[in-house]
Amino acid sequence: MNVLITGGAGYIGSHTCLELLLKKANVFVYDNLSNSNVKSLVLVEELARNKVGFYKGDIRNCYELSSFISSNMIDCVVHFAGLKSVGESNSDPVKYYDNNVSGTISLLKAMERCKVKKLVFSSSATVYGTPNELPISEAAPTSTINPYGQSKLLVEKILADVAKADSDWKIANLRYFNPAGAHPSGLIGEDPKDIPNNIMPYVSQVAVGKLEKLSIFGGDYNTPDGTGVRDYIHVTDLAKGHLAALNYLNSSQACGFSSFNLGTGKGVSVLELIKAFEKASGKNIPFDIVARRQGDVAACYADPTKANKVLGWKAELDIERICQDAWRWQVNNPTGY
Ligand code: NAD
Ligand code: WQD
């Protein structure tokens, strides 16, 4: 199987490339390296003892992308390429709609041209907005409050329309909850370019002494300890979810456009996460409780039953393992790649 991975040099993409190579797939990465380092792929090759076909390019260049797809005889695509900072999407919405929405349209055109019609898309639990019910199932209503989330929801709608118009398309829309952790080797992991927005890399950098202390955004939520609750999913479990989705697309079971929650089903509070990280690292994590962050919800965790049943996939690793692996990556690579 020849798989195109857009954005494959990034955090989730590199872990997915590794799992695919370990299963003997032929992996072809197309990435403009706008938020990644090609060293991740060198390390993936080392871990897998196998090669990745890499091309530095932007998915919005439909001509180049089409020729990459046809010259490598691609069978299916996993589409990670996109921008993911909620804050930046508020200050520069056009950049987000252009990259995430126009980029996906360009990819769809290239795939049509090359008659490749199997696609796995990286969506996000952000499309559920403020949930009415917990855990969140795929049938829950969707809504978004920032251009990043809006770009994911727009792409979901476009993909559903594409599959509706042409029954040859098979599309697995994966809604990730909170990806975290790193490969247990400590060789690949998340490498934020600036001060991290997400909690796990922030806590890692506090533990290693790069940042002074964590600000906990809100201690007065209606949650067991007052802090925000999320469904942290180990990036290796997440990567394996993509393999399960590709197997599903290659089966007779696959039909049109389907959404799947990729989460553990378990909510973890900020204070619980800090405790698990302190245990894993042996370091103290100083924190202050400050005002809530605008746009945050109190609690968000998945009902992963559909992915369990239809994809035959289940998250195996808990918050302790996530913290241990995040810490190993942080200690081994204090300045990233
Ligand atoms: P990442 O930034 O590490 O990886 C994205 C990759 O895409 C990077 O290597 C970047 O260089 C590349 N890229 C961006 N725009 C491109 C373009 N126009 N052409 C070619 N390459 C381009 O992010 P990640 O955390 O690995 O996320 C991967 C996907 O999963 C994204 O679409 C993101 O929105 C989605 N997602 C991420 C999270 C999360 O918390 N990490 C949660 C839900 C969904
Ligand atoms: C987790 C919890 C914060 C930082 C975001 C995006 C979402 C998805 C995943 C891409 C919350 C608290 C955080 C800090 C804190 N990305 N926190 N101090 O907000 O659930 O989701 O990343 O699709 O779209 O919105 O993740 O890691 O930022 O926050 O107290 O310095 O940690 O309030 O309760 P979030 P997060």
Side-chain angles (χ1 to χ4, degrees):
M1 180 171 59
N2 293 352
V3 189
L4 167 65
I5 314 279
T6 73
Y11 171 45
I12 307 169
S14 55
H15 288 78
T16 305
C17 288
L18 175 57
E19 297 304 320
L20 277 165
L21 287 174
L22 293 173
K23 292 282 179 214
K24 307 289 172 222
N26 301 314
V27 173
F28 298 88
V29 169
Y30 191 100
D31 196 308
N32 66 1
L33 303 180
S34 59
N35 196 39
S36 53
N37 189 318
V38 77
K39 200 174 162 208
S40 64
L41 295 177
V42 175
L43 293 163
V44 162
E45 289 179 330
E46 212 174 288
L47 284 165
R49 295 166 189 269
N50 216 332
K51 289 279 167 205
V52 171
F54 174 70
Y55 185 83
K56 185 176 175 201
D58 194 296
I59 54 167
R60 288 165 294 184
N61 188 333
C62 190
Y63 177 77
E64 265 182 22
L65 185 56
S66 306
S67 79
F68 189 72
I69 292 174
S70 63
S71 60
N72 292 300
M73 291 182 290
I74 295 297
D75 300 304
C76 44
V77 177
V78 184
H79 178 32
F80 293 106
L83 301 175
K84 63 168 180 177
S85 161
V86 171
E88 192 190 28
S89 82
N90 282 319
S91 55
D92 197 348
V94 174
K95 183 173 173 188
Y96 273 67
Y97 290 120
D98 184 36
N99 205 75
N100 295 2
V101 182
S102 307
T104 303
I105 290 173
S106 168
L107 171 67
L108 291 169
K109 284 182 182 165
M111 289 175 71
E112 280 270 6
R113 218 175 262 173
C114 303
K115 301 192 171 42
V116 176
K117 295 188 177 180
K118 286 183 192 135
L119 176 67
V120 178
F121 175 61
S122 298
S123 189
S124 167
T126 193
V127 301
Y128 293 120
T130 305
N132 299 329
E133 257 181 64
L134 291 164
I136 307 171
S137 86
E138 290 82 356
T142 53
S143 71
T144 56
I145 55 160
N146 57 65
Y148 168 72
Q150 193 66 20
S151 75
K152 289 291 172 192
L153 206 47
L154 277 168
V155 169
E156 286 198 2
K157 290 188 195 308
I158 292 167
L159 296 179
D161 286 343
V162 165
K164 199 167 138 196
D166 175 354
S167 62
D168 287 345
W169 277 90
K170 310 284 178 217
I171 302 175
N173 178 47
L174 305 184
R175 292 173 175 161
Y176 313 154
F177 279 68
N178 287 59
H183 189 262
S185 64
L187 286 177
I188 57 170
E190 188 171 9
D191 182 18
K193 283 205 171 11
D194 302 311
I195 294 178
N197 294 310
N198 292 120
I199 191 156
M200 188 60 80
Y202 200 102
V203 167
S204 304
Q205 293 192 13
V206 171
V208 86
K210 274 176 83 175
L211 294 170
E212 194 193 333
K213 62 178 161 187
L214 173 74
S215 295
I216 298 183
F217 299 139
D220 58 352
Y221 282 110
N222 184 18
T223 58
D225 64 21
T227 65
V229 167
R230 296 290 183 275
D231 185 339
Y232 298 95
I233 174 165
H234 194 292
V235 66
T236 296
D237 273 335
L238 192 61
K240 289 179 179 167
H242 294 75
L243 272 61
L246 285 170
N247 285 338
Y248 161 78
L249 294 184
N250 285 319
S251 74
S252 54
Q253 222 192 335
C255 56
F257 172 88
S258 283
S259 296
F260 299 95
N261 284 342
L262 296 189
T264 65
K266 190 175 180 312
V268 170
S269 75
V270 173
L271 289 174
E272 287 171 329
L273 184 151
I274 293 173
K275 211 167 140 203
F277 205 95
E278 287 186 330
K279 191 170 163 216
S281 64
K283 301 282 179 189
N284 179 42
I285 312 288
F287 64 81
D288 278 336
I289 298 187
V290 302
R292 294 179 180 189
R293 182 171 66 180
Q294 210 194 343
D296 273 359
V297 297
C300 172
Y301 51 94
D303 174 355
T305 310
K306 187 177 172 195
N308 298 166
K309 285 192 176 153
V310 181
L311 303 181
W313 167 91
K314 195 172 186 301
E316 308 280 352
L317 305 170
D318 60 12
I319 191 69
E320 272 75 32
R321 268 299 298 274
I322 292 176
C323 293
Q324 286 161 14
D325 291 338
W327 177 237
R328 189 177 304 105
W329 157 253
Q330 180 65 64
V331 169
N332 289 355
N333 308 273
T335 52
Y337 284 115

